[in-house]
Amino acid sequence: WDIDVAITASNKGLENPPGLIFMSLNENAWNFVQHSKLSTYYFSFQKAKDAVVKGIGSAFTPAISLFYGMQQAIAEIRQQGIEKIWDDHRKLADAFRKTVEFLGLKILPPNPSDSVTVIEIPVDFSANKIVTELKRKYGYIISKGQSILNDRVIRIGHLGRVDLKADAELIAALEDVLRDSGVKLTHTNTCDYFLKYAKF
């Protein structure tokens, strides 16, 4: 892919809590590391590589419990097959977005990633209040908007251990909170619509 440095984390679609970062450097990037004069306070690519080469594994105390969690997650990913997982997440995300539009709300951006759905809340209502109420009433933790989208959008992730049942329950809870907040919806009973649309 002609990528010099690739970085991901244990909570990015790998069904684990945050706390681990995975990095891969090609020869070009390692050349920069070896000739760099920049000082490092804590993390050093070279120290990390030296620890692996020496068989230590990690230059610093690692989060052992997260490593066990990652080991299990990777085994499950290999068992299911990554292509099937991608396809399932695509289907869930697509059905979720179609259902949100069925409610009468707008999705951002025009061509969204299958990893997250960003929902624009009508201008007279507080997106942050929707986030708060979903947590208070139903225990769902979703994300607020950032920067200029603060209090304008809500963000709902689709990666990790998310399935048809979980998304259907979230859709029903979201509809309830939106209605109680006074948002005018074009349709109701969207949980049924979602279940009909999500074909697996």
Side-chain angles (χ1 to χ4, degrees):
W1 291 347
D2 199 29
I3 294 173
D4 293 322
V5 181
I7 304 173
T8 190
S10 50
N11 59 311
K12 298 300 181 184
L14 294 170
E15 303 181 352
N16 272 267
L20 296 178
I21 292 177
F22 310 97
M23 294 176 282
S24 177
L25 282 70
N26 67 8
E27 289 182 19
N28 186 46
W30 275 116
N31 186 50
F32 276 92
V33 168
Q34 290 162 356
H35 294 92
S36 173
K37 299 291 190 276
L38 295 173
S39 60
T40 57
Y41 176 70
Y42 179 79
F43 181 78
S44 162
F45 280 109
Q46 193 61 58
K47 283 182 182 178
K49 183 178 181 180
D50 291 345
V52 171
V53 170
K54 291 175 183 175
I56 298 170
S58 176
F60 305 98
T61 305
I64 298 295
S65 58
L66 293 180
F67 276 98
Y68 281 112
M70 281 305 309
Q71 189 175 34
Q72 180 62 33
I74 290 170
E76 291 178 15
I77 289 168
R78 286 179 170 160
Q79 183 179 14
Q80 294 178 57
I82 193 66
E83 289 80 8
K84 182 183 184 317
I85 292 171
W86 289 339
D87 190 51
D88 287 351
H89 280 84
R90 179 189 57 76
K91 287 176 181 175
L92 274 176
D94 188 50
F96 196 93
R97 285 192 285 269
K98 292 287 186 191
T99 306
V100 168
E101 290 172 336
F102 183 71
L103 276 170
L105 300 175
K106 184 179 177 183
I107 300 294
L108 301 176
N111 298 301
S113 162
D114 291 332
S115 64
V116 65
T117 292
V118 181
I119 304 169
E120 185 176 25
I121 301 301
V123 68
D124 294 331
F125 301 92
S126 167
N128 293 347
K129 183 180 177 185
I130 303 297
V131 172
T132 301
E133 286 300 293
L134 266 175
K135 182 178 180 182
R136 185 184 69 81
K137 288 183 72 175
Y138 295 101
Y140 285 105
I141 299 174
I142 64 171
S143 298
K144 302 176 181 181
Q146 297 177 338
S147 188
I148 61 171
L149 293 179
N150 180 44
D151 210 26
R152 299 283 9 106
V153 302
I154 60 176
R155 297 178 294 138
I156 297 172
H158 301 299
L159 296 181
R161 293 187 181 272
V162 179
D163 58 20
L164 195 64
K165 182 178 182 291
D167 268 359
E169 291 172 352
L170 175 54
I171 282 283
L174 178 61
E175 179 187 333
D176 182 58
V177 168
L178 288 167
R179 188 173 50 249
D180 285 355
S181 298
V183 177
K184 186 177 179 181
L185 305 175
T186 56
H187 295 89
T188 56
N189 297 319
T190 47
C191 182
D192 292 338
Y193 179 87
F194 171 77
L195 290 171
K196 287 178 182 177
Y197 195 88
K199 305 294 185 184
F200 284 87

